[in-house]
Protein backbone atom coordinates (compact mmCIF):
# COMPACT_ATOMS: atom_id res chain seq x y z
CA UNK A 1 0.00 0.00 0.00
CA UNK A 2 2.50 2.58 -1.11
CA UNK A 3 1.81 6.15 -2.09
CA UNK A 4 0.20 5.21 -5.40
CA UNK A 5 -2.30 8.03 -5.19
CA UNK A 6 -5.29 5.82 -4.44
CA UNK A 7 -7.72 7.53 -2.08
CA UNK A 8 -10.03 4.57 -1.45
CA UNK A 9 -8.69 1.17 -0.46
CA UNK A 10 -10.96 -1.91 -0.48
CA UNK A 11 -10.01 -4.86 1.73
CA UNK A 12 -12.20 -7.91 1.21
CA UNK A 13 -12.23 -11.37 2.76
CA UNK A 14 -13.94 -14.27 1.02
CA UNK A 15 -14.63 -17.96 1.17
CA UNK A 16 -11.29 -18.89 -0.42
CA UNK A 17 -9.44 -17.12 2.39
CA UNK A 18 -11.54 -18.88 5.03
CA UNK A 19 -11.33 -22.45 3.76
CA UNK A 20 -7.57 -22.18 3.32
CA UNK A 21 -7.27 -21.66 7.08
CA UNK A 22 -8.90 -25.06 7.49
CA UNK A 23 -6.87 -26.64 4.70
CA UNK A 24 -3.63 -25.45 6.32
CA UNK A 25 -4.75 -26.41 9.84
CA UNK A 26 -4.66 -22.88 11.23
CA UNK A 27 -6.46 -23.18 14.54
CA UNK A 28 -6.63 -19.45 15.22
CA UNK A 29 -7.55 -18.21 11.76
CA UNK A 30 -10.22 -15.59 12.63
CA UNK A 31 -8.11 -14.02 15.40
CA UNK A 32 -5.03 -13.86 13.16
CA UNK A 33 -7.18 -12.41 10.40
CA UNK A 34 -8.51 -9.67 12.70
CA UNK A 35 -4.98 -8.76 13.79
CA UNK A 36 -3.77 -8.61 10.18
CA UNK A 37 -6.80 -6.57 9.17
CA UNK A 38 -6.06 -3.93 11.82
CA UNK A 39 -2.48 -3.75 10.58
CA UNK A 40 -3.59 -3.37 6.95
CA UNK A 41 -5.99 -0.54 7.79
CA UNK A 42 -3.36 1.34 9.78
CA UNK A 43 -0.84 0.93 6.97
CA UNK A 44 -3.36 2.29 4.48
CA UNK A 45 -4.06 5.27 6.72
CA UNK A 46 -0.42 6.36 6.69
CA UNK A 47 -1.26 8.29 3.54
CA UNK A 48 -3.18 11.44 4.42
CA UNK A 49 -6.79 11.50 3.30
CA UNK A 50 -7.10 7.81 2.52
CA UNK A 51 -10.33 5.95 3.17
CA UNK A 52 -10.79 2.20 3.66
CA UNK A 53 -13.77 0.01 2.85
CA UNK A 54 -13.83 -3.36 4.62
CA UNK A 55 -15.92 -6.05 2.92
CA UNK A 56 -17.35 -9.04 4.77
CA UNK A 57 -17.46 -12.48 3.14
CA UNK A 58 -20.88 -13.31 1.76
CA UNK A 59 -22.83 -16.46 2.53
CA UNK A 60 -22.54 -19.56 0.36
CA UNK A 61 -24.76 -22.62 0.18
CA UNK A 62 -22.39 -25.60 0.20
CA UNK A 63 -18.82 -26.72 -0.32
CA UNK A 64 -19.71 -29.72 -2.47
CA UNK A 65 -17.48 -28.45 -5.29
CA UNK A 66 -14.47 -28.62 -2.97
CA UNK A 67 -14.68 -32.40 -2.94
CA UNK A 68 -11.14 -32.90 -1.61
CA UNK A 69 -11.82 -30.61 1.34
CA UNK A 70 -15.59 -30.64 1.92
CA UNK A 71 -15.56 -33.47 4.53
CA UNK A 72 -13.26 -31.36 6.73
CA UNK A 73 -15.24 -28.15 6.44
CA UNK A 74 -18.10 -27.11 8.73
CA UNK A 75 -21.36 -25.72 7.40
CA UNK A 76 -20.54 -22.65 5.23
CA UNK A 77 -22.27 -20.23 7.61
CA UNK A 78 -20.35 -21.65 10.57
CA UNK A 79 -17.04 -21.30 8.71
CA UNK A 80 -17.60 -17.76 7.44
CA UNK A 81 -19.43 -16.13 10.36
CA UNK A 82 -16.31 -15.66 12.56
CA UNK A 83 -14.60 -13.77 9.72
CA UNK A 84 -17.71 -11.66 9.09
CA UNK A 85 -17.80 -10.90 12.81
CA UNK A 86 -14.10 -9.96 12.76
CA UNK A 87 -14.68 -7.53 9.87
CA UNK A 88 -17.55 -5.89 11.78
CA UNK A 89 -15.56 -5.64 15.03
CA UNK A 90 -12.39 -4.31 13.40
CA UNK A 91 -14.51 -1.90 11.36
CA UNK A 92 -15.97 -0.45 14.55
CA UNK A 93 -12.51 -0.08 16.10
CA UNK A 94 -11.07 1.59 13.01
CA UNK A 95 -14.04 3.95 12.62
CA UNK A 96 -13.36 5.23 16.11
CA UNK A 97 -9.61 5.39 15.58
CA UNK A 98 -9.75 7.18 12.22
CA UNK A 99 -12.81 9.42 12.68
CA UNK A 100 -15.14 7.86 10.16
CA UNK A 101 -12.62 7.23 7.39
CA UNK A 102 -13.47 3.52 7.53
CA UNK A 103 -16.71 1.88 6.39
CA UNK A 104 -17.97 -1.73 6.30
CA UNK A 105 -19.94 -3.49 3.57
CA UNK A 106 -22.05 -6.05 5.46
CA UNK A 107 -22.35 -8.78 2.83
CA UNK A 108 -22.94 -11.57 5.34
CA UNK A 109 -26.37 -10.12 6.15
CA UNK A 110 -27.56 -10.54 2.56
CA UNK A 111 -29.84 -13.63 2.71
CA UNK A 112 -29.07 -16.58 0.45
CA UNK A 113 -31.62 -18.89 -1.18
CA UNK A 114 -30.02 -22.31 -1.22
CA UNK A 115 -32.93 -24.51 -2.26
CA UNK A 116 -35.29 -24.75 -5.19
CA UNK A 117 -34.55 -25.32 -8.85
CA UNK A 118 -31.78 -23.66 -10.87
CA UNK A 119 -33.78 -20.49 -11.52
CA UNK A 120 -34.71 -19.98 -7.85
CA UNK A 121 -31.36 -20.72 -6.24
CA UNK A 122 -28.83 -17.94 -5.67
CA UNK A 123 -25.97 -20.43 -6.10
CA UNK A 124 -26.96 -23.37 -8.30
CA UNK A 125 -23.66 -25.18 -7.69
CA UNK A 126 -23.62 -24.20 -4.03
CA UNK A 127 -20.60 -21.91 -4.29
CA UNK A 128 -20.79 -19.50 -7.24
CA UNK A 129 -23.36 -16.70 -7.19
CA UNK A 130 -25.82 -16.02 -9.97
CA UNK A 131 -25.80 -12.62 -11.62
CA UNK A 132 -28.92 -11.64 -9.68
CA UNK A 133 -27.32 -12.46 -6.34
CA UNK A 134 -24.06 -10.79 -7.37
CA UNK A 135 -26.05 -7.64 -8.10
CA UNK A 136 -27.41 -7.68 -4.53
CA UNK A 137 -23.89 -7.93 -3.13
CA UNK A 138 -22.66 -5.18 -5.45
CA UNK A 139 -25.45 -2.88 -4.26
CA UNK A 140 -24.34 -3.30 -0.64
CA UNK A 141 -20.73 -2.50 -1.57
CA UNK A 142 -21.84 0.49 -3.66
CA UNK A 143 -23.92 1.96 -0.83
CA UNK A 144 -21.10 1.52 1.68
CA UNK A 145 -18.60 3.14 -0.69
CA UNK A 146 -20.96 6.07 -1.28
CA UNK A 147 -21.25 6.65 2.47
CA UNK A 148 -17.49 6.53 2.79
CA UNK A 149 -16.84 9.00 -0.04
CA UNK A 150 -19.64 11.46 0.75
CA UNK A 151 -19.48 11.35 4.53
CA UNK A 152 -23.14 10.32 4.72
CA UNK A 153 -24.23 9.23 8.19
CA UNK A 154 -24.10 5.57 9.14
CA UNK A 155 -27.61 4.06 9.00
CA UNK A 156 -29.41 2.55 11.96
CA UNK A 157 -28.30 -0.98 12.82
CA UNK A 158 -30.28 -3.99 11.64
CA UNK A 159 -30.67 -7.56 12.87
CA UNK A 160 -31.43 -10.76 10.97
CA UNK A 161 -32.40 -13.68 13.23
CA UNK A 162 -32.95 -17.37 12.53
CA UNK A 163 -33.74 -20.26 14.85
CA UNK A 164 -33.99 -23.81 13.60
CA UNK A 165 -34.36 -27.32 15.04
CA UNK A 166 -31.84 -30.00 14.11
CA UNK A 167 -32.63 -33.58 13.20
CA UNK A 168 -30.79 -36.72 14.30
CA UNK A 169 -28.09 -36.03 11.68
CA UNK A 170 -27.51 -32.52 13.08
CA UNK A 171 -29.04 -30.96 9.97
CA UNK A 172 -31.52 -28.10 9.87
CA UNK A 173 -35.03 -29.48 9.82
CA UNK A 174 -38.11 -27.25 9.90
CA UNK A 175 -41.17 -28.51 11.73
CA UNK A 176 -43.69 -29.90 9.19
CA UNK A 177 -46.28 -27.25 8.46
CA UNK A 178 -44.36 -24.62 10.42
CA UNK A 179 -41.41 -22.34 9.79
CA UNK A 180 -37.80 -22.59 10.94
CA UNK A 181 -38.54 -20.43 13.99
CA UNK A 182 -40.61 -23.21 15.60
CA UNK A 183 -38.48 -25.49 17.76
CA UNK A 184 -39.15 -29.08 18.82
CA UNK A 185 -39.23 -29.90 22.51
CA UNK A 186 -36.34 -32.14 23.54
CA UNK A 187 -34.45 -31.64 20.27
CA UNK A 188 -31.30 -29.54 19.78
CA UNK A 189 -31.55 -26.27 17.92
CA UNK A 190 -29.41 -23.38 16.75
CA UNK A 191 -29.91 -19.63 16.98
CA UNK A 192 -28.07 -17.60 14.34
CA UNK A 193 -28.00 -13.85 13.87
CA UNK A 194 -26.27 -11.22 11.80
CA UNK A 195 -26.21 -7.45 12.14
CA UNK A 196 -25.33 -4.44 10.05
CA UNK A 197 -23.79 -1.22 11.35
CA UNK A 198 -23.97 -2.49 14.95
CA UNK A 199 -21.57 -2.12 17.85
CA UNK A 200 -23.46 -4.27 20.36
CA UNK A 201 -26.29 -6.79 20.44
CA UNK A 202 -28.20 -8.31 23.36
CA UNK A 203 -31.45 -10.14 24.02
CA UNK A 204 -33.82 -10.90 26.87
CA UNK A 205 -36.52 -13.60 26.93
CA UNK A 206 -39.40 -13.87 29.39
CA UNK A 207 -42.08 -16.50 29.89
CA UNK A 208 -45.04 -16.27 32.28
CA UNK A 209 -44.73 -20.03 32.79
CA UNK A 210 -41.82 -21.30 34.94
CA UNK A 211 -41.45 -24.08 32.36
CA UNK A 212 -40.65 -21.50 29.68
CA UNK A 213 -37.31 -20.01 28.71
CA UNK A 214 -36.21 -17.04 30.81
CA UNK A 215 -32.80 -15.53 30.21
CA UNK A 216 -30.60 -13.39 28.02
CA UNK A 217 -27.88 -10.77 28.18
CA UNK A 218 -25.22 -9.17 25.97
CA UNK A 219 -23.72 -11.26 23.18
CA UNK A 220 -20.05 -11.35 22.27
CA UNK A 221 -20.60 -11.67 18.51
CA UNK A 222 -22.18 -9.22 16.11
CA UNK A 223 -22.48 -12.14 13.70
CA UNK A 224 -23.15 -15.68 14.92
CA UNK A 225 -23.84 -18.66 12.71
CA UNK A 226 -22.06 -21.40 14.58
CA UNK A 227 -23.81 -24.72 14.79
CA UNK A 228 -23.23 -25.38 18.47
CA UNK A 229 -26.53 -26.73 19.71
CA UNK A 230 -28.78 -26.26 22.72
CA UNK A 231 -31.44 -28.80 23.63
CA UNK A 232 -34.84 -27.14 23.80
CA UNK A 233 -36.38 -28.18 27.12
CA UNK A 234 -38.82 -25.25 27.20
CA UNK A 235 -42.20 -26.47 25.94
CA UNK A 236 -44.06 -23.16 26.24
CA UNK A 237 -43.55 -19.92 24.28
CA UNK A 238 -41.38 -17.06 25.49
CA UNK A 239 -41.40 -13.43 24.41
CA UNK A 240 -37.96 -12.09 23.56
CA UNK A 241 -36.63 -8.64 22.80
CA UNK A 242 -33.39 -8.15 20.90
CA UNK A 243 -31.57 -4.82 21.21
CA UNK A 244 -29.07 -3.73 18.58
CA UNK A 245 -26.95 -0.63 19.16
CA UNK A 246 -24.85 1.14 16.55
CA UNK A 247 -23.24 4.50 15.82
CA UNK A 248 -26.59 5.85 14.60
CA UNK A 249 -28.71 4.70 17.54
CA UNK A 250 -30.50 1.70 19.01
CA UNK A 251 -33.18 -0.52 17.46
CA UNK A 252 -35.23 -3.22 19.20
CA UNK A 253 -36.63 -6.36 17.58
CA UNK A 254 -39.44 -8.37 19.23
CA UNK A 255 -39.21 -12.12 18.83
CA UNK A 256 -41.34 -15.07 19.99
CA UNK A 257 -39.60 -18.26 21.07
CA UNK A 258 -42.08 -20.87 19.82
CA UNK A 259 -41.95 -24.61 20.48
CA UNK A 260 -43.93 -27.67 19.47
CA UNK A 261 -44.03 -31.20 20.94
CA UNK A 262 -42.02 -34.03 19.42
CA UNK A 263 -44.24 -35.75 16.83
CA UNK A 264 -45.93 -38.87 18.29
CA UNK A 265 -44.33 -38.36 21.71
CA UNK A 266 -46.51 -39.17 24.72
CA UNK A 267 -47.56 -36.45 27.13
CA UNK A 268 -46.28 -36.42 30.71
CA UNK A 269 -48.23 -38.23 33.42
CA UNK A 270 -48.65 -36.68 36.89
CA UNK A 271 -49.51 -38.75 39.97
CA UNK A 272 -50.22 -37.07 43.34
CA UNK A 273 -51.36 -38.75 46.58
CA UNK A 274 -52.13 -37.27 50.00
CA UNK A 275 -52.86 -39.33 53.08
CA UNK A 276 -55.08 -39.17 55.01
CA UNK A 277 -57.82 -37.53 53.01
CA UNK A 278 -59.37 -35.28 54.10
CA UNK A 279 -56.61 -33.72 56.18
CA UNK A 280 -57.16 -33.62 59.94
CA UNK A 281 -56.24 -30.45 61.80
CA UNK A 282 -53.30 -30.97 64.14
CA UNK A 283 -52.42 -34.31 62.56
CA UNK A 284 -49.58 -35.11 60.15
CA UNK A 285 -50.28 -35.88 56.52
CA UNK A 286 -48.10 -37.38 53.82
CA UNK A 287 -47.80 -36.09 50.23
CA UNK A 288 -46.08 -37.85 47.35
CA UNK A 289 -45.95 -37.03 43.66
CA UNK A 290 -44.27 -38.13 40.47
CA UNK A 291 -44.11 -36.72 36.94
CA UNK A 292 -43.20 -39.26 34.27
CA UNK A 293 -41.96 -38.44 30.74
CA UNK A 294 -41.36 -34.85 31.93
CA UNK A 295 -38.53 -32.31 31.83
CA UNK A 296 -40.03 -30.04 34.47
CA UNK A 297 -42.85 -29.79 37.00
CA UNK A 298 -44.50 -26.77 38.60
CA UNK A 299 -47.20 -26.40 41.23
CA UNK A 300 -49.28 -23.64 42.75
CA UNK A 301 -52.02 -23.81 45.38
CA UNK A 302 -54.83 -21.37 46.11
CA UNK A 303 -57.39 -21.05 48.90
CA UNK A 304 -59.73 -18.49 50.39
CA UNK A 305 -59.21 -16.96 53.83
CA UNK A 306 -56.57 -18.72 55.92
CA UNK A 307 -56.45 -21.83 53.75
CA UNK A 308 -53.20 -23.33 52.51
CA UNK A 309 -51.71 -21.41 49.56
CA UNK A 310 -48.41 -21.71 47.69
CA UNK A 311 -46.99 -19.58 44.83
CA UNK A 312 -46.33 -20.97 41.37
CA UNK A 313 -42.88 -22.57 41.54
CA UNK A 314 -40.81 -25.40 40.14
CA UNK A 315 -40.68 -28.62 42.17
CA UNK A 316 -38.75 -31.85 41.75
CA UNK A 317 -40.12 -34.43 39.34
CA UNK A 318 -40.37 -36.88 42.26
CA UNK A 319 -41.25 -35.99 45.84
CA UNK A 320 -38.56 -36.21 48.48
CA UNK A 321 -35.61 -35.71 46.11
CA UNK A 322 -33.64 -32.57 45.22
CA UNK A 323 -34.66 -30.37 42.34
CA UNK A 324 -32.12 -30.70 39.52
CA UNK A 325 -29.18 -28.41 40.21
CA UNK A 326 -30.07 -27.91 43.89
CA UNK A 327 -28.39 -29.66 46.84
CA UNK A 328 -31.54 -29.40 48.96
CA UNK A 329 -34.50 -31.75 49.09
CA UNK A 330 -37.43 -30.06 47.40
CA UNK A 331 -39.69 -29.92 50.46
CA UNK A 332 -40.83 -32.16 53.31
CA UNK A 333 -43.42 -34.73 52.29
CA UNK A 334 -44.64 -35.03 55.89
CA UNK A 335 -46.45 -31.97 57.25
CA UNK A 336 -49.02 -31.13 59.91
CA UNK A 337 -52.42 -29.77 58.89
CA UNK A 338 -53.24 -26.41 60.47
CA UNK A 339 -56.53 -25.64 62.19
CA UNK A 340 -56.63 -22.37 60.22
CA UNK A 341 -57.21 -24.40 57.06
CA UNK A 342 -60.60 -25.68 58.27
CA UNK A 343 -63.42 -24.36 56.10
CA UNK A 344 -61.06 -23.14 53.39
CA UNK A 345 -60.41 -25.91 50.84
CA UNK A 346 -57.17 -25.77 48.85
CA UNK A 347 -56.87 -26.30 45.10
CA UNK A 348 -53.43 -27.21 43.75
CA UNK A 349 -52.57 -27.18 40.05
CA UNK A 350 -49.62 -29.23 38.84
CA UNK A 351 -48.12 -28.73 35.37
CA UNK A 352 -45.57 -31.10 33.81
CA UNK A 353 -43.80 -30.42 30.52
CA UNK A 354 -42.01 -32.93 28.34
CA UNK A 355 -41.28 -33.91 24.76
CA UNK A 356 -44.96 -34.73 24.20
CA UNK A 357 -46.24 -31.39 25.45
CA UNK A 358 -47.73 -30.21 28.74
CA UNK A 359 -50.05 -32.03 31.16
CA UNK A 360 -52.02 -30.28 33.91
CA UNK A 361 -53.42 -32.01 37.00
CA UNK A 362 -55.72 -30.26 39.49
CA UNK A 363 -56.57 -31.50 42.99
CA UNK A 364 -58.74 -30.07 45.76
CA UNK A 365 -58.51 -31.14 49.39
CA UNK A 366 -60.20 -30.17 52.67
CA UNK A 367 -59.11 -29.95 56.28
CA UNK A 368 -61.51 -31.12 59.00
CA UNK A 369 -61.61 -31.44 62.78
CA UNK A 370 -61.11 -34.80 64.45
Amino acid sequence: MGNDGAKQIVIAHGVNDAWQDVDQNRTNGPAEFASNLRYAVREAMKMSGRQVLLVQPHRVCSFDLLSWLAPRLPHPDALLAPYANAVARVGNEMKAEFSGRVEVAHLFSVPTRCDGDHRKSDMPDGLHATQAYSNKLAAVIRDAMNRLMTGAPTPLPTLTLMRAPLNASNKLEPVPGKDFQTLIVGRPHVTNWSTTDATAVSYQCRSDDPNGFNGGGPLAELVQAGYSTIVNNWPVPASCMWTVTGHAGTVTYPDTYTTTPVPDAQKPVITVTRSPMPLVAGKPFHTTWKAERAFSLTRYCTAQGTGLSAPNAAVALTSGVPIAGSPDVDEPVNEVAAAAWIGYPTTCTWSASGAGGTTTYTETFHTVTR
Side-chain angles (χ1 to χ4, degrees), residues 352-370:
S353 298
T358 299
T359 296
T360 300
Y361 172 78
T362 301
E363 55 160 339
T364 299
F365 53 90
H366 300 258
T367 302
V368 298
T369 59
R370 295 177 184 271

Side-chain angles (χ1 to χ4, degrees), residues 14-20 22 58-81 123 125-128:
V15 63
N16 287 337
D17 305 296
W19 70 252
Q20 287 185 36
V22 176
H58 66 78
R59 296 176 184 267
V60 299
C61 293
S62 77
F63 293 132
D64 291 346
L65 285 183
L66 307 176
S67 57
W68 75 98
L69 186 62
R72 295 171 51 200
L73 294 175
H75 186 280
D77 283 357
L79 174 67
L80 296 172
M123 296 173 194
D125 66 1
L127 194 58
H128 297 100

Side-chain angles (χ1 to χ4, degrees), residues 5-6 17 35 39 44 61 75 88 105 110 119 128 137 157 170 189 218 229 236 270 311 316 335 348 357:
D17 305 296
S35 178
Y39 174 80
C61 293
H75 186 280
V110 179
R119 294 183 304 278
H128 297 100
L137 301 176
N170 223 33
H189 71 277
T229 60
V236 294
I270 303 171
E335 301 175 86
C348 292

Side-chain angles (χ1 to χ4, degrees), residues 144-168:
M145 181 62 81
N146 285 341
R147 291 197 303 272
L148 185 65
M149 296 176 66
T150 64
T154 300
L156 285 169
T158 67
L159 170 76
T160 302
L161 175 68
M162 187 272 284
R163 286 197 186 93
L166 301 180
N167 60 21

Side-chain angles (χ1 to χ4, degrees), residues 274 279 285 287 299-311 331 335-348 363 365-367:
R274 296 183 191 272
L279 309 186
F285 66 94
T287 305
R299 180 201 57 202
Y300 69 92
C301 299
T302 60
Q304 298 294 319
T306 56
L308 173 63
S309 297
E331 63 178 49
E335 301 175 86
V336 176
W341 300 349
I342 296 174
Y344 299 104
T346 293
T347 298
C348 292
E363 55 160 339
F365 53 90
H366 300 258
T367 302

